[in-house]
Amino acid sequence: MTHVRPVVARYTSILRSAPVSLTLLAGLWILGAVTGSILRGPSRGLAHDVSLGVSSFSDGHVWVLWTSGLFASRLADYLLVTAAVLAVAVPVENLCGSRRFAIGAAVTQGVGAAAALAVAQLVSTFPNSWGIALHGHLIEDPLPWIIGTLLTATAAMSTLWRRRIRMVVLVFLITTTLFAGHLQDLTRLGAAVAGLVLGPLLFRGRPHVATLGGTIREQRTLVALVVAASVLGPALAAFSPHAIGPLSALRELFGQVPYTARELVDVCDDPALADECRKGHQALRLSGFGPLVANLLPAAVLLVGAEGLRRGRRAAWLLTVWGHLALIAAATASAVVRATETRSLVYGYHRHGSLYQELAPLSVLLAVLVVLLATHRLFQVRAPRGTYRRVWLGTAAVTAAALVVYVAAGSLLAGSFDRDPGPVTLLRDFPRRLVPPVYLQLFDPPILPATIPATVLFEWVGIVVWVVFAVLMFRSFTIPALGHSATDEQRVRALLRSPGGESLSWMITWPGNSYWFSDDGAHTVAYRVHSGIALTTGDPVGDPSTRADAVDAFASYCLRNGWTPCFYSVGEDLAVVARNHGWSCVQVAEETLLDLPELAFKGKKFQDVRTSLNRATKQGIEARWTTFSEAPLSVVSQIVEISEEWVSDKGLPEMGFTLGGLEELKDPEIRLLVALDTDGHMHGVTSWMPVFRDGRLVGLTLDFMRRHSDGFPPVMEFLIASAALSAREDGLEFLSLSGAPLASAADESGGDERGALDDLLNLLGQVLEPVYGFRSLLSFKAKFQPRHRPMYMVFPDSTALPRIGLAVGHAYLPNMSFEQGRQLMSRILQR
């Protein structure tokens, strides 16, 4: 009981802070009780005065724009609305404040209802069943003002939740509008759009206009969500008998058939019923559970493709693009047939169809295809060589087995068909079994099943092939990406432990790298190839005494493959080796290190650091070590939220290569240090890569740094200082604060040996500073009084510099789109 009381007290406080929501909910039930509308909705006479509809509004009842949101259609809807108010409206009012919430509810309800009536009037200007049906609707629905206030409140939410709520809600509402298409669906969508516009005005914030925003991971998820919604929409229409939307014609795929197979034989025996016989043949292919499953299988395959898109797979992108091209071809053929005949290739016979209903699905398919083509850069993750050969071979083997079974079993069941099939007829009919029945309506079937065993064989043999193909494709998306080898990764991690690597060497375990191993296995080099440049990640890892030999061997390996080697972000030792080889050398970053044995945050120069530690203690903020896999779900979700907010607020592409992101945190060897207050609220997070020497942990390297926009201001100073003190207690030798690209401690003073390329990189660092802040980061790290270690890029051929520039740019920004590039240049020019 003692644990329950605080929870009850907290929710009671939340309810007390939502007077508008509770007043509207109480008014809903009171009006329903007084008018007797709770069980079955308003009576016909009352509905004309309070319900939303073209007819009631045309009679001058302007108030129905708002009164329709104070009634529901039946008891189940009253209960649903009550749950929605408590689960959505009350928290939203707590977030917005009662005044903003009241304004949002009134505006979004009125605008949403008015927009729905305007669309209904517009649609009815040309012949179509949707407009006719909308004119006959009278609706009561409180959900528009609940949805409207939710979308309004997103303007006050963090970037991650703002984007996710908007995308999920809008995709769902657009899908229901296109497929279900009722007046309440239009009203809800109109209220949601009104909330999007109203939110920035109420909160006096600037609207966020990023087209996709966020990290690559989030962008892929949003595209996958769009594809999934376009796929699930037809299923929504198929199982909704009252759907009237512009795409609701898809439900005709699954209409019931007036004849059984045996009855159809009798119909077709009468020459006078030839047309009826053809209709029966077409309808029979769409009847029953088997054809229903078969017609849904292309959608299931595209859903598998959507999951692959979420994982960034190139094959999934190709699958969904070609799938949509096939559907577009079918929809186009349907439109052509409908324009010339009374039947439709794709949708069967419509009781009240039109060419408009054929073109609407085509427009949606084209829109999704445009989205896929516009975002192709996001989907570059490839499976290992041979993965899809196995997919096609597996599918071919199952197809061959299905063919043998179909011909053999069909011959044994010859008397179970409407005519004697024979092996040749079965062989000729088998390709049709692989095509969803809906696409076969213009072709006369050579045979039809007349018994249950024959029906099962006839309908399900093709389904098996589709299911196997879908399963194989799904498995291909779960296979580690190209360049990832479990064996190579184990060898790399073994070398990183003993003899060990440099402070930044753990970055070679990140995705995107390929690995070269010396003949004796004593060294490894992580690299990636672009524009003919083999760009390495840091120094070779292995025995330091033979590192020069490893550099020579790797350079020879590159030359054999037609690549130019370029060692990037390496230390002074390798730079000396490169100079001795006659290679060019240029500084590209500055690493900062803290030597722990003599570390003590004393004196005036550490004043800021000590202040952060003292303030954190007073505010109850604690630094806790964890890992991504061991952290509680609440901590993981806050890490994701903070990171997505940080990236999205920049409005620019997230950099990679030597700068880790969320994906790199999932390594169990990566330690996380998070700043949490007594309420479990996260103020900031840092990640630390291990540094080993001869199997012993000797240091930690800072990588991931994110702070909450409304959190403890000096949280980064607090976390770094806490990490340093903790590492010193554990007996570690040093703490690396990592490198700052295009930044150097010597930039301000210049140097005696600086060349033209150094000056160019210095200029580039100055230009990019307002956007990415690398030099500000280096200045921030100076608070800890570190020692500096320059990081170099070395390469054998200066004529390859243009290609090296392209390779480095692609490594840091591999998925930058044209629009993001335009925004980046705009930011630079503005500064």
Side-chain angles (χ1 to χ4, degrees):
M1 184 64 70
T2 55
H3 297 289
V4 174
R5 286 177 181 174
V7 176
V8 172
R10 182 175 181 181
Y11 280 100
T12 300
S13 175
I14 292 174
L15 291 174
R16 287 174 179 171
S17 301
V20 178
S21 299
L22 297 181
T23 299
L24 288 172
L25 179 60
L28 180 76
W29 281 95
I30 292 171
L31 286 174
V34 170
T35 60
S37 305
I38 291 179
L39 294 179
R40 298 182 180 178
S43 63
R44 180 172 299 181
L46 179 62
H48 187 70
D49 294 327
V50 301
S51 301
L52 181 68
V54 175
S55 59
S56 60
F57 187 81
S58 299
D59 288 342
H61 299 171
V62 179
W63 56 83
V64 299
L65 298 177
W66 292 275
T67 57
S68 60
L70 299 176
F71 290 86
S73 300
R74 55 186 181 273
L75 178 59
D77 291 338
Y78 276 94
L79 296 175
L80 173 64
V81 170
T82 301
V85 169
L86 296 177
V88 178
V90 168
V92 165
E93 186 174 350
N94 274 262
L95 176 64
C96 295
S98 296
R99 184 181 66 86
R100 288 192 181 102
F101 182 85
I103 295 172
V107 172
T108 57
Q109 172 66 36
V111 172
L117 295 180
V119 171
Q121 192 66 34
L122 178 64
V123 172
S124 64
T125 57
F126 52 95
N128 67 92
S129 60
W130 188 32
I132 296 173
L134 287 176
H135 266 63
H137 282 190
L138 278 175
I139 65 161
E140 314 85 27
D141 184 17
L143 286 181
W145 61 263
I146 298 175
I147 295 172
T149 52
L150 173 63
L151 270 294
T152 300
T154 58
M157 295 180 184
S158 65
T159 303
L160 176 63
W161 287 107
R162 177 174 60 242
R163 184 170 60 251
R164 284 183 174 177
I165 290 175
R166 288 178 177 180
M167 178 59 70
V168 171
V169 172
L170 288 176
V171 166
F172 176 77
L173 293 178
I174 291 171
T175 302
T176 56
T177 299
L178 290 175
F179 291 94
H182 298 115
L183 191 61
Q184 60 261 40
D185 298 315
L186 285 169
T187 308
R188 294 166 186 171
L189 179 59
V193 175
L196 289 178
V197 177
L198 180 64
L201 299 177
L202 280 182
F203 292 94
R204 297 181 181 180
R206 298 178 62 184
H208 297 261
V209 296
T211 53
L212 283 173
T215 61
I216 295 171
R217 169 178 169 270
E218 192 72 11
Q219 293 176 36
R220 289 168 176 168
T221 300
L222 298 181
V223 174
L225 182 61
V226 170
V227 172
S230 70
V231 169
L232 292 174
L236 173 68
F239 295 103
S240 178
H242 304 295
I244 59 170
L247 305 186
S248 62
L250 292 172
R251 74 173 183 270
E252 301 294 336
L253 286 171
F254 313 103
Q256 295 300 312
V257 190
Y259 308 111
T260 66
R262 290 190 180 277
E263 290 171 341
L264 188 59
V265 172
D266 297 332
V267 171
C268 293
D269 284 341
D270 187 347
L273 299 176
D275 291 340
E276 193 70 18
C277 175
R278 180 174 179 78
K279 291 181 181 180
H281 279 307
Q282 288 181 317
L284 191 64
R285 294 192 187 94
L286 302 178
S287 66
F289 183 66
L292 171 66
V293 174
N295 287 330
L296 288 175
L297 279 173
V301 170
L302 289 178
L303 278 178
V304 170
E307 170 60 19
L309 292 176
R310 188 183 69 82
R311 298 169 182 262
R313 295 301 179 119
R314 182 69 175 175
W317 184 84
L318 293 171
L319 176 67
T320 50
V321 166
W322 283 106
H324 278 79
L325 286 173
L327 293 175
I328 288 170
T332 303
S334 172
V336 171
V337 170
R338 184 156 187 87
T340 56
E341 300 186 31
T342 60
R343 59 183 179 270
S344 169
L345 173 64
V346 179
Y347 304 120
Y349 288 86
H350 298 305
R351 292 184 294 273
H352 43 263
S354 65
L355 182 59
Y356 159 75
Q357 286 178 299
E358 299 290 349
L359 295 178
L362 179 61
S363 64
V364 173
L365 293 171
L366 287 171
V368 176
L369 181 62
V370 169
V371 170
L372 289 168
L373 294 177
T375 57
H376 69 96
R377 291 178 178 270
L378 300 176
F379 310 106
Q380 300 296 331
V381 181
R382 301 176 184 271
R385 183 172 299 177
T387 297
Y388 292 101
R389 182 173 64 249
R390 290 190 291 271
V391 170
W392 295 118
L393 288 176
T395 303
V398 172
T399 304
L403 172 62
V404 172
V405 170
Y406 186 65
V407 173
S411 299
L412 294 175
L413 297 171
S416 299
F417 292 90
D418 62 337
R419 63 192 68 168
D420 185 14
V424 176
T425 301
L426 290 167
L427 190 64
R428 183 164 53 91
D429 183 61
F430 178 74
R432 293 182 174 88
R433 300 305 101 228
L434 303 178
V435 179
V438 67
Y439 301 112
L440 296 173
Q441 293 181 75
L442 294 184
F443 303 94
D444 292 326
I447 54 174
L448 284 172
T451 65
I452 293 179
T455 299
V456 171
L457 179 68
F458 187 82
E459 295 177 352
W460 289 85
V461 68
I463 292 175
V464 172
V465 176
W466 276 89
V467 169
V468 169
F469 174 69
V471 170
L472 291 176
M473 287 300 297
F474 178 80
R475 288 185 60 188
S476 74
F477 300 147
T478 63
I479 294 175
L482 179 65
H484 176 90
S485 167
T487 302
D488 287 352
E489 184 174 343
Q490 290 175 0
R491 294 178 66 187
V492 166
R493 289 177 180 263
L495 287 172
L496 284 170
R497 286 182 173 274
S498 181
E502 302 293 336
S503 55
L504 302 178
S505 292
W506 200 265
M507 288 188 292
I508 73 174
T509 64
W510 292 355
N513 289 318
S514 298
Y515 299 110
W516 169 87
F517 293 95
S518 59
D519 292 338
D520 59 2
H523 291 88
T524 184
V525 174
Y527 69 96
R528 58 192 73 197
V529 179
H530 184 75
S531 301
I533 302 297
L535 187 68
T536 77
T537 302
D539 299 89
V541 175
D543 186 356
S545 64
T546 55
R547 183 172 295 170
D549 296 334
V551 171
D552 285 336
F554 177 73
S556 299
Y557 169 76
C558 292
L559 293 175
R560 288 196 301 271
N561 285 279
W563 306 328
T564 298
C566 176
F567 287 87
Y568 189 84
S569 198
V570 299
E572 181 69 36
D573 292 343
L574 196 142
V576 171
V577 172
R579 291 191 188 101
N580 293 336
H581 282 66
W583 289 19
S584 299
C585 178
V586 60
Q587 183 175 348
V588 292
E590 186 92 16
E591 185 185 10
T592 50
L593 299 104
L594 303 180
D595 295 312
L596 298 179
E598 62 270 16
L599 179 68
F601 294 127
K602 296 179 180 180
K604 186 176 181 180
K605 59 185 178 181
F606 289 112
Q607 181 62 47
D608 290 344
V609 177
R610 290 198 306 274
T611 299
S612 68
L613 291 169
N614 294 332
R615 285 183 59 187
T617 301
K618 292 179 181 179
Q619 297 184 24
I621 297 174
E622 180 183 359
R624 299 181 189 175
W625 287 104
T626 185
T627 64
F628 199 82
S629 59
E630 295 176 352
L633 180 60
S634 60
V635 170
V636 171
S637 62
Q638 289 186 80
I639 292 174
V640 174
E641 179 180 348
I642 290 174
S643 179
E644 296 290 351
E645 180 181 11
W646 182 85
V647 174
S648 296
D649 286 346
K650 282 183 173 295
L652 292 168
E654 185 180 23
M655 301 187 78
F657 191 30
T658 62
L659 301 170
L662 278 175
E663 290 301 315
E664 286 71 32
L665 300 187
K666 297 177 182 178
D667 185 341
E669 300 276 4
I670 299 296
R671 299 183 181 187
L672 302 181
L673 187 61
V674 298
L676 298 173
D677 59 24
T678 54
D679 294 328
H681 176 69
M682 181 181 296
H683 295 262
V685 55
T686 54
S687 75
W688 300 86
M689 301 180 291
V691 184
F692 293 94
R693 186 187 308 127
D694 297 326
R696 183 173 63 90
L697 182 67
V698 296
L700 295 173
T701 300
L702 175 65
D703 175 37
F704 188 87
M705 301 170 61
R706 300 287 190 271
R707 64 178 297 272
H708 199 285
S709 57
D710 298 325
F712 179 56
V715 67
M716 284 300 122
E717 291 93 331
F718 166 66
L719 285 173
I720 292 174
S722 299
L725 295 175
S726 174
R728 187 186 63 182
E729 291 177 1
D730 291 341
L732 303 189
E733 297 178 9
F734 68 89
L735 209 68
S736 169
L737 303 187
S738 198
L742 299 176
S744 168
D747 283 340
E748 298 298 329
S749 60
D752 296 335
E753 300 181 0
R754 294 182 65 88
L757 184 56
D758 297 279
D759 293 335
L760 177 62
L761 291 174
N762 181 37
L763 176 62
L764 182 60
Q766 292 175 356
V767 170
L768 290 179
E769 171 59 23
V771 181
Y772 286 106
F774 297 133
R775 299 187 175 194
S776 299
L777 179 62
L778 185 62
S779 298
F780 162 78
K781 294 174 181 178
K783 294 181 180 182
F784 298 91
Q785 307 302 312
R787 62 182 173 90
H788 295 271
R789 176 174 175 256
M791 310 298 295
Y792 298 94
M793 177 178 71
V794 298
F795 47 94
D797 185 2
S798 296
T799 62
L801 268 176
R803 291 187 293 122
I804 291 174
L806 288 175
V808 173
H810 184 267
Y812 274 113
L813 297 167
N815 299 286
M816 184 172 68
S817 65
F818 175 81
E819 175 60 21
Q820 288 174 325
R822 187 195 65 78
Q823 292 180 10
L824 177 59
M825 290 304 301
S826 176
R827 290 278 189 94
I828 292 173
L829 294 175
Q830 286 176 5
R831 298 284 181 170

